[in-house]
Amino acid sequence: QVQLVQSGAEVKKPGSSVKVSCKASEGGFTTQAITWVRQAPGQGLEWMGGIIPIFGTANYAQKFQGRVTITADTSTTTAFMELSSLRADDTAIYYCARERQAGFAILSSWGHGTLVTVSS
Amino acid sequence: DIVMTQSPDSLAVSLGERATIKCKSSQSLLYASNNRNNLAWYQHKPGQPPKLLIYWASTRESGVPARFAGSGSGTEFTLTINSLQAEDVALYYCQQYFNTPPTFGGGTKVEI
């Protein structure tokens, strides 16, 4: 099973941006999408968007359109999620996860999560 | 977006007893091309990422104990944990992958 290793915790000011990385182990970039899911304190899981790394095509949840950019670097098998115009309610744990089967968001491999704290 | 509704929000079960979690979707999750339901279940423990338990509504992921069972079709689904163990204390989420965006239920907390 692919291993996903995420970057470390971040503390950001309101209005700034954060970029979280997710490195996949050898062979981790295929036609299976890498997706980003977040969990705010006391809240449930929320899908933000995803990318098929070898094609570079991303799609996003309507809620985050215009604020989130998901990219992938196939040379380093690393996916990125950048969230801009940060607000206090963006404080959350951000997870990357990979589809078990291309085209179906069955999330079988997960990163350990990256805590992003937005505070002035 | 498809709305996923779980019940109950929490439940307390004795060790060795059965836990039953319900999940309803706002539209059918039955995928016509393969006659399977696009529904997954995850277990989420504090400090860990979610873990896939069940997909296609009833297929156990590799390595998941047989006491976890998924059932249901269309818009109503159930996760059953038979003979609850101490390590099963966690939040459980259902998730549909029939449509984009994939959406999760609100979660059910299982306690001893």
Side-chain angles (χ1 to χ4, degrees), chain A residues 10-19 86 91 116-120:
Chain A
E10 304 259 15
V11 179
K12 293 292 182 179
K13 300 279 190 200
S16 66
S17 299
V18 67
K19 192 170 186 177
L86 289 169
T91 294
V116 175
T117 303
V118 182
S119 174
S120 54

Side-chain angles (χ1 to χ4, degrees), chain A residues 51-103:
Chain A
I51 188 167
I52 302 174
I54 64 170
F55 298 142
T57 50
N59 61 350
Y60 305 111
Q62 181 122 17
K63 173 178 178 176
F64 300 101
Q65 285 276 3
R67 280 213 302 145
V68 68
T69 304
I70 296 172
T71 56
D73 181 343
T74 55
S75 67
T76 60
T77 63
T78 303
F80 302 91
M81 185 283 299
E82 183 169 20
L83 188 63
S84 61
S85 302
L86 289 169
R87 308 184 289 254
D89 62 2
D90 291 317
T91 294
I93 299 174
Y94 290 78
Y95 296 99
C96 62
R98 198 186 78 163
E99 289 179 337
R100 191 183 193 285
Q101 179 180 348

Side-chain angles (χ1 to χ4, degrees), chain B residues 1-2 5 8 13-14 16 18 25-27 47 49 51 54 57 67 70 77 82 92 95 99-100 103-104:
Chain B
D1 296 0
I2 296 177
T5 304
V13 179
S14 301
R18 176 181 297 163
S25 57
S26 59
Q27 68 181 75
K51 175 186 175 183
I54 302 281
R67 64 180 180 273
F77 303 90
N82 292 297
Y92 292 84
Q95 175 233 329
N99 269 353
T100 298
T103 47
F104 295 86

Side-chain angles (χ1 to χ4, degrees), chain B residues 30-50:
Chain B
L30 186 61
Y31 188 53
S33 69
N34 62 8
N35 200 36
R36 290 180 165 187
N37 290 277
N38 288 26
L39 188 282
W41 289 96
Y42 299 86
Q43 177 190 65
H44 195 191
K45 296 181 179 179
Q48 298 182 23

